């Protein structure tokens, strides 16, 4: 089950509250337990110990009174002492034993389960003392009866006194054992309470530190959970400044992660839209440039092309006339012919420029037919062989075994390949190697022309298809633009990869036939 961000933060602080609550409950429980322990000792065992001490003191006094009675020689005094003993001792002893038994029952109400056995043992001992004192009372009455005579028989006194002393000794020993048991129990409970108090203190300190640690951990976890919010805010700020490349990359399944992923998708969409708008703006600019070229080319065709044709025709007539003319010296004839040849070259160059402008302004509609790309390349290479050999360019052909068939206009395709071959030759002024490879893909045919020339920087490569952009001193900047336009009308494309000093590769892609 996936928990929301608010739920997880709530659970984190709930854990903190539960931890501190558990520490508090533990402290209260231990304080309550210590209070019960103190109450058991102070109001229970100490009172019972005092009752036992009182019984022992009373019993000791009784033993002394018995010794005094046995040593008394006056009959009247003995009788007086016997009357006092009969009057006070039984009632006081019974009263004190009854008070001790009541106290024991009260202690049983205070005692925890673990102390029940000891308290019940105390009650049984007090009951036993009550029974023993009844027997002691009968033995004492026998002694009193013997000693009440004016001249008690020595044998009777000795027998009654021996029984009484045995009872006194036994009762005194039981009372001392009872006091010792209570004293030991009090000492054990006090020592246990002290030890438990130390352990409780350490436990409370440990649990408090643990609770603080849990609180700090929950705070750190909450801060870490909310950290993507800060990243999201920074990303929104970057988008607001126009930087659409902001990508948050937040992972998870909570609301912030989902929002971050949607933000990344939005940023990518905006970036793609910006790139699309930029491409459309560039296309519009190229269209405007092409429209300007169209207008210029029409003017050039009207104002320049016809005069150039006339000039070219007249120059040819002059060359024919010079063949029959006579000059004062061979040097004058050679100079005249060189001037006419220069004029002819310039006329041809200007004618080619006007033709390029016209092709850019009014490109002919291609006649798409299944065309053997390998055959077209071979024809173009044969046509350019002499030119490439003079430039010391080695041509390496890597053609597929099966001739690739593409839908193309052969004449326009020859124009594209001738332009690319000329550019490759000019990129290797000191010679080099030109590798031409064909590849057949599922839906298209690819022709790659790779040279070992100087290559291009990224800034130059990004503008080579712009009309009028050129790096040549005598270039028009229309060759590659015309090639790209031709391939687009074919439903293909023209790509370029280049690095400075690593050569250049042009990739021509055409739809398969």
């Amino acid at each position: 089950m996936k928990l929301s961000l608010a739920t997880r933060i709530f659970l984190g602080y709930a854990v903190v509250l539960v931890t501190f609550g558990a520490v508090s409950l533990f402290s209260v429980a231990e304080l309550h337990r210590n209070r019960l322990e103190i109450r058991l000792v102070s109001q229970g065992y100490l009172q019972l110990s005092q009752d036992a001490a009182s019984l022992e003191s009373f019993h000791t006094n009784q033993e002394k009174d018995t010794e005094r009675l046995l040593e008394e020689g006056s009959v009247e005094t003995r009788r007086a002492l016997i009357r006092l003993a009969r009057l006070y001792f039984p009632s006081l002893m019974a009263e004190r034993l009854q008070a001790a038994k009541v106290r024991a029952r009260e202690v049983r109400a205070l005692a925890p389960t673990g102390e029940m056995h000891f308290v019940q043992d105390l009650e049984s001992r007090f009951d036993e003392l009550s029974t023993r004192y009844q027997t002691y009372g009968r033995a004492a009455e026998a002694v009193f009866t013997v000693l009440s005579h004016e001249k008690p028989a020595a044998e009777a006194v000795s027998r009654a006194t021996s029984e009484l002393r045995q009872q006194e000794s036994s009762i005194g020993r039981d009372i001392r054992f009872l006091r010792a048991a209570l004293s030991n129990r009090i000492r054990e409970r006090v020592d246990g309470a002290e030890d438990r108090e130390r352990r409780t203190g350490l436990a409370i300190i440990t649990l408090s530190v643990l609770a603080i640690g849990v609180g700090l951990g929950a705070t750190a976890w909450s801060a870490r959970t909310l950290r993507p919010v800060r990243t999201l805010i920074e990303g929104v700020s970057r988008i607001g400044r126009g930087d659409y490349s902001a990508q948050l990359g937040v992972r998870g399944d909570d609301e912030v992660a989902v929002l971050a992923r949607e933000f990344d998708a939005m940023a990518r969409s905006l970036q793609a839209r910006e790139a699309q708008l930029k491409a459309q703006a560039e296309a519009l600019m190229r269209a405007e440039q092409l429209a300007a070229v169209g207008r210029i080319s029409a003017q050039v065709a009207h104002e320049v092309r016809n005069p150039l044709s006339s000039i070219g025709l007249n120059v040819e007539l002059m060359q024919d006339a010079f063949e029959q003319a006579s000059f004062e010296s061979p040097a004058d004839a050679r100079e005249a012919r060189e001037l006419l040849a220069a004029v002819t070259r310039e006329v041809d160059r200007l004618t080619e420029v006007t033709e390029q402008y016209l092709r850019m302004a009014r490109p002919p509609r291609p006649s798409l037919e299944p065309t053997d790309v390998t055959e077209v390349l071979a024809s173009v290479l044969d046509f350019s062989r002499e030119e490439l050999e003079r430039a010391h360019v080695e041509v390496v052909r890597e053609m597929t075994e099966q001739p690739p068939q593409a839908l193309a206009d052969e004449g326009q395709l020859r124009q594209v390949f001738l332009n690319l071959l000329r550019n490759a030759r000019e990129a290797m002024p000191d010679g080099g190697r030109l590798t031409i490879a064909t590849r057949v893909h599922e839906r298209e045919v690819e022709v790659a022309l790779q040279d070992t020339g100087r290559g291009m920087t990224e800034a130059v490569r990004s503008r080579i298809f712009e009309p009028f952009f050129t790096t040549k001193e005598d270039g028009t900047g229309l060759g590659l633009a015309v090639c790209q336009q031709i391939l687009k009308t074919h439903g293909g494309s023209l790509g370029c990869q280049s690095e400075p000093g690593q050569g250049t590769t042009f990739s021509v892609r055409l739809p398969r036939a």
Side-chain angles (χ1 to χ4, degrees):
M1 180 178 62
K2 297 179 181 179
L3 300 178
S4 64
L5 180 63
T7 302
R8 286 192 287 172
I9 294 177
F10 172 77
L11 289 178
Y13 282 99
V15 169
V16 176
L17 292 176
V18 169
T19 304
F20 278 100
V23 174
S24 300
L25 290 176
F26 176 77
S27 301
V28 171
E30 289 298 320
L31 289 175
H32 179 69
R33 183 177 179 183
N34 288 337
R35 185 176 64 82
L36 292 179
E37 190 72 21
I38 293 172
R39 184 180 177 186
L40 175 64
V41 173
S42 62
Q43 298 182 15
Y45 291 158
L46 281 177
Q47 295 295 330
L48 287 175
S49 179
Q50 292 176 359
D51 291 338
S54 176
L55 288 174
E56 183 179 11
S57 176
F58 186 76
H59 183 72
T60 301
N61 291 333
Q62 183 61 32
E63 288 180 338
K64 292 179 179 179
D65 290 341
T66 301
E67 290 295 332
R68 179 182 176 187
L69 180 62
L70 293 175
E71 294 175 356
E72 182 62 42
S74 171
V75 176
E76 293 300 329
T77 303
R78 282 200 308 271
R79 290 175 179 174
L81 291 176
I82 289 171
R83 283 195 301 271
L84 289 174
R86 287 174 175 172
L87 179 63
Y88 294 108
F89 179 76
S91 59
L92 289 176
M93 180 59 70
E95 180 182 349
R96 293 183 181 183
L97 283 173
Q98 183 63 31
K101 288 191 287 185
V102 171
R103 188 88 63 187
R105 284 193 293 271
E106 293 175 355
V107 171
R108 184 173 60 182
L110 298 175
T113 305
E115 290 293 306
M116 284 298 177
H117 179 72
F118 179 74
V119 175
Q120 290 174 356
D121 183 63
L122 289 178
E123 290 182 357
S124 63
R125 291 191 180 189
F126 282 120
D127 291 336
E128 185 179 353
L129 282 176
S130 296
T131 303
R132 297 289 297 276
Y133 265 111
Q134 291 177 1
T135 306
Y136 175 80
R138 289 192 294 270
E141 186 61 33
V143 173
F144 294 159
T145 302
V146 172
L147 292 178
S148 296
H149 298 105
E150 292 184 2
K151 293 182 179 181
E155 183 179 354
V157 171
S158 177
R159 186 170 54 253
T161 301
S162 175
E163 178 66 21
L164 182 62
R165 290 184 185 278
Q166 288 180 359
Q167 292 292 333
E168 287 179 346
S169 177
S170 176
I171 291 173
R173 185 170 58 253
D174 289 343
I175 293 176
R176 287 192 297 273
F177 285 163
L178 180 60
R179 282 196 62 190
L182 285 169
S183 298
N184 291 334
R185 202 64 173 181
I186 291 172
R187 186 165 52 253
E188 289 176 1
R189 301 302 294 187
V190 170
D191 292 342
E194 292 178 352
D195 185 62
R196 187 165 52 254
E197 183 180 5
R198 287 193 298 270
R199 292 198 307 270
T200 302
L202 291 176
I204 291 174
I205 293 173
T206 302
L207 291 176
S208 300
V209 172
L210 178 62
I212 293 172
V214 171
L216 294 176
T219 303
W221 178 75
S222 300
R224 181 179 178 183
T225 303
L226 295 174
R227 188 181 304 166
V229 176
R230 190 181 305 111
T231 305
L232 184 62
I233 294 173
E234 294 175 357
V236 172
S237 301
R238 290 175 62 184
I239 291 291
R241 294 192 298 268
D243 182 9
Y244 301 123
S245 62
Q247 291 292 308
L248 305 180
V250 178
R251 298 182 179 180
D253 297 324
D254 54 26
E255 297 93 329
V256 176
V258 173
L259 181 60
R261 285 195 292 273
E262 293 297 327
F263 176 85
D264 290 343
M266 180 191 69
R268 288 193 296 270
S269 177
L270 290 174
Q271 190 174 15
R273 182 67 59 84
E274 185 184 28
Q276 184 180 4
L277 291 175
K278 184 177 180 181
Q280 292 176 352
E282 292 176 354
L284 180 60
M285 183 179 64
R286 285 196 295 270
E288 293 176 352
Q289 290 175 343
L290 293 177
V293 170
R295 292 190 296 270
I296 293 172
S297 63
Q299 187 71 19
V300 169
H302 179 71
E303 299 291 342
V304 177
R305 192 178 185 191
N306 292 334
L308 281 177
S309 299
S310 299
I311 292 172
L313 179 60
N314 291 329
V315 169
E316 290 179 0
L317 293 175
M318 290 179 67
Q319 286 178 339
D320 294 338
F322 281 166
E323 294 296 333
Q324 300 176 1
S326 60
F327 295 92
E328 294 181 357
S329 64
D332 292 338
R334 185 171 59 254
E335 182 179 0
R337 292 188 182 92
E338 289 178 354
L339 288 175
L340 289 176
V343 171
T344 300
R345 286 195 303 272
E346 290 300 319
V347 169
D348 292 340
R349 189 180 69 81
L350 291 175
T351 301
E352 183 181 357
V353 170
T354 58
E355 290 294 333
Q356 287 183 352
Y357 274 89
L358 288 173
R359 285 194 297 269
M360 175 64 71
R362 294 190 297 271
R365 184 179 299 275
S367 177
L368 301 179
E369 295 179 355
T371 304
D372 188 344
V373 176
T374 303
E375 184 178 344
V376 176
L377 282 170
S379 175
V380 172
L381 289 172
D382 290 340
F383 178 78
S384 306
R385 179 185 296 112
E386 184 177 351
E387 180 182 354
L388 294 172
E389 288 178 352
R390 284 199 306 268
H392 303 289
V393 174
E394 176 190 0
V395 178
V396 179
R397 305 186 188 191
E398 297 179 354
M399 308 298 180
T400 58
E401 296 180 359
Q402 182 180 1
Q405 297 287 324
L407 285 176
D409 185 310
E410 183 176 348
Q412 294 185 10
L413 191 57
R414 287 174 59 86
Q415 180 183 349
V416 171
F417 288 148
L418 280 172
N419 198 317
L420 295 177
L421 286 175
R422 185 179 298 113
N423 286 343
R425 177 183 59 77
E426 293 174 352
M428 298 181 288
D430 300 327
R433 184 174 65 256
L434 175 62
T435 303
I436 302 177
T438 59
R439 302 181 184 89
V440 180
H441 301 290
E442 183 179 357
R443 296 183 179 179
E444 59 186 6
V445 176
E446 179 183 1
V447 179
L449 296 90
Q450 181 180 8
D451 64 56
T452 57
R454 293 167 297 195
M456 294 178 284
T457 62
E458 180 63 24
V460 173
R461 191 193 65 78
S462 63
R463 299 186 60 191
I464 58 175
F465 297 114
E466 294 181 5
F468 310 115
F469 177 79
T470 181
T471 58
K472 305 172 186 176
E473 295 181 358
D474 57 348
T476 62
L478 295 175
L480 289 176
V482 171
C483 291
Q484 187 183 52
Q485 188 175 16
I486 290 173
L487 290 173
K488 283 186 177 180
T489 59
H490 280 66
S493 63
L494 177 61
C496 177
Q497 293 181 351
S498 181
E499 293 183 7
Q502 301 295 325
T504 303
T505 301
F506 281 94
S507 298
V508 176
R509 292 179 179 267
L510 294 166
R512 288 187 64 179

